[in-house]
């Protein structure tokens, strides 16, 4: 590889690389999306909030139909207040904003805002097969999951298992993705059923969705 092509490759941003994969397969797995220092700051913040009792049992469904269903999911979550982020959250939200703008420029998805939460899966917990887009709702268009677990080994379980959606029969699926720190998984929410397999150790992530305007529902 000569110097010129090296330069060309490094000129392609990580946001563009993720969008390339979204275009090709609907799913992107990108390692080192944020720096090791940011990964540690986010995981420290989440663990501190968890220890302070600022997480709650995650529910399934939406609006009035939200319910505790530990047979379906039993992680604990803390929703970010994106209107008043902490400094470390603001840095990550800035990265996601670049990704949102890149997706909009290239895919014309009209993504409008981000909503997200920290999620902690204590040992043994899981989230059964589901789609992220609620039935009859149009709002969640792109799922983004940033993992925050140092040195995750396959023996610890806890993989994100993504199945081929109806329109995406392909030899690549199902795929199991380990929740390695700094890894960002991005996918078109309505395309892929997916699940979180039970883990042997605490499994931390910052999971969220780019949404379109609710008025388009
Ligand atoms: C979710 C989800 C996957 C993961 O929160 O909807 O599917 O790997 N999370 O944490
Ligand atoms: Mn999901």
């Amino acid at each position: 590889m000569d110097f010129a092509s090296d330069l060309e490759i490094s000129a392609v941003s990580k946001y563009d690389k993720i969008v390339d994969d979204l275009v090709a397969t609907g799913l992107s797995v990108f390692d080192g999306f944020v720096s090791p220092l940011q990964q540690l700051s986010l995981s420290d913040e989440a663990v501190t909030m968890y220890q302070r009792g600022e997480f709650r049992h995650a529910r399934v469904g939406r609006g009035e139909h939200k319910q505790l269903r530990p047979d379906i999911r039993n992680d604990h979550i803390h929703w970010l207040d994106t209107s008043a982020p902490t400094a470390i959250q603001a840095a990550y939200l800035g990265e996601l904003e670049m990704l949102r703008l890149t997706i909009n420029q290239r895919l014309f998805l009209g993504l409008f805002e981000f909503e997200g939460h920290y999620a902690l899966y204590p040992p043994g917990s899981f989230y059964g097969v589901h789609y992220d887009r609620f039935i009859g709702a149009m709002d969640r268009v792109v799922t983004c999951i940033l993992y925050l677990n140092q040195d995750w080994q396959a023996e610890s379980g806890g993989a994100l298992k993504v199945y081929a959606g109806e329109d995406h029969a392909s030899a690549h699926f199902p795929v199991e993705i380990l929740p390695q720190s700094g890894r960002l998984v991005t996918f078109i929410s309505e395309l892929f059923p997916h699940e979180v397999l039970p883990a042997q150790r605490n499994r931390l992530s910052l999971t969220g969705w780019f949404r379109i305007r609710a008025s388009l529902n």
Side-chain angles (χ1 to χ4, degrees):
M1 187 182 299
D2 63 24
F3 186 58
S5 63
D6 246 11
L7 271 183
E8 274 164 38
I9 286 168
S10 63
V12 175
S13 74
K14 60 186 174 185
Y15 317 106
D16 278 305
K17 177 74 181 68
I18 289 167
V19 177
D20 289 346
D21 289 343
L22 289 181
V23 170
T25 65
L27 169 73
S28 152
V29 180
F30 190 94
D31 286 332
F33 182 71
V34 299
S35 72
L37 181 61
Q38 272 182 296
Q39 296 163 31
L40 284 176
S41 307
L42 288 164
S43 67
D44 278 359
E45 177 181 88
V47 168
T48 302
M49 287 173 165
Y50 184 75
Q51 288 167 345
R52 279 200 227 123
E54 295 173 9
F55 278 53
R56 49 179 284 189
H57 289 279
R59 285 151 205 268
V60 300
R62 70 187 321 224
E64 301 145 34
H65 305 295
K66 261 193 160 45
Q67 46 176 329
L68 278 174
R69 288 291 303 272
D71 52 320
I72 298 176
R73 74 182 292 191
N74 38 46
D75 55 324
H76 301 238
I77 61 174
H78 173 97
W79 283 99
L80 301 196
D81 178 356
T82 51
S83 65
T86 64
I88 179 59
Q89 292 168 8
Y92 179 58
L93 293 172
E95 290 288 339
L96 288 181
E97 182 63 5
M98 292 295 296
L99 179 59
R100 184 182 74 86
L101 294 173
T102 308
I103 294 173
N104 279 350
Q105 274 165 13
R106 292 188 46 197
L107 299 183
F108 307 106
L109 286 182
L111 303 178
F112 171 64
E113 64 182 0
F114 175 81
E115 62 173 5
H117 58 59
Y118 284 121
L120 188 122
Y121 289 73
S125 48
F126 58 86
Y127 191 163
V129 182
H130 66 281
Y131 283 93
D132 282 352
R133 198 162 188 168
F134 294 117
I135 294 165
M138 290 277 289
D139 51 1
R140 289 179 170 178
V141 177
V142 175
T143 302
C144 305
I145 309 165
L146 178 70
Y147 296 110
L148 297 169
N149 310 288
Q150 298 293 320
D151 304 318
W152 193 276
Q153 306 294 326
E155 304 84 74
S156 297
L160 167 65
K161 186 167 184 179
V162 181
Y163 297 87
E166 280 161 34
D167 306 334
H168 272 68
S170 146
H172 295 104
F173 292 97
V175 56
E176 291 189 16
I177 303 162
L178 292 179
Q180 216 59 263
S181 196
R183 175 170 286 170
L184 184 78
V185 172
T186 309
F187 60 88
I188 306 294
S189 304
E190 68 178 0
L191 290 183
F192 301 105
H194 56 280
E195 68 179 315
V196 177
L197 300 175
Q200 316 299 322
R201 52 175 271 205
N202 281 333
R203 177 192 192 274
L204 187 63
S205 60
L206 202 169
T207 300
W209 299 269
F210 291 126
R211 299 152 50 108
I212 53 175
R213 277 178 197 273
S215 59
L216 294 179
N217 277 354

